[in-house]
């Protein structure tokens, strides 16, 4: 799957994360803003990166504004943003259920 356009998923509400994904020429970069970055920043980046890898994304610019989201929320927002950015209308939920993030 390729990122074709900029897309956003999530909100700035408590316990959520807002992810913006944009096209990039190579590699994955993650710009993270979080009040709990010192404690959980590495884990947030890990969940985003692993989800992008599972979706076959090799190049993307990710901006994440975290408001205390759990891993499952981070994964869901990443999936939604990628599908929007790639212009995919239907998700293969069986494939996603098999992931182990």
């Amino acid at each position: 799957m390729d990122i074709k356009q900029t897309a956003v998923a999530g909100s700035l509400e408590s316990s959520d994360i807002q992810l913006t994904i944009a096209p990039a020429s190579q590699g994955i970069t993650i710009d993270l803003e979080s009040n709990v970055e010192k404690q959980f920043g590495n884990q947030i980046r890990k969940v985003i990166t692993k989800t992008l890898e599972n979706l076959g994304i090799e190049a993307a610019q990710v901006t994440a504004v975290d408001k205390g989201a759990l891993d499952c929320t981070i994964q869901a927002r990443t999936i939604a943003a990628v599908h929007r950015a790639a212009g995919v209308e239907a998700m293969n939920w069986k494939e996603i259920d098999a992931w182990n993030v």
Side-chain angles (χ1 to χ4, degrees), residues 8-76:
V8 178
S11 72
L12 298 175
E13 299 294 321
S14 180
S15 301
D16 204 351
I17 187 168
Q18 185 178 68
L19 279 167
T20 304
I21 298 185
S25 57
Q26 63 181 11
I28 295 171
T29 59
I30 300 172
D31 179 28
L32 174 63
E33 178 186 322
S34 174
N35 292 335
V36 294
E37 185 169 1
K38 288 184 181 179
Q39 297 92 340
F40 301 108
N42 289 338
Q43 178 64 17
I44 294 167
R45 285 182 181 87
K46 178 183 170 186
V47 172
I48 293 169
T49 301
K50 182 68 174 167
T51 304
L52 292 172
E53 288 173 0
N54 286 339
L55 290 167
I57 303 299
E58 297 178 359
Q61 171 68 40
V62 180
T63 303
V65 181
D66 173 60
K67 298 295 182 178
L70 298 175
D71 287 358
C72 57
T73 303
I74 297 166
Q75 183 182 32

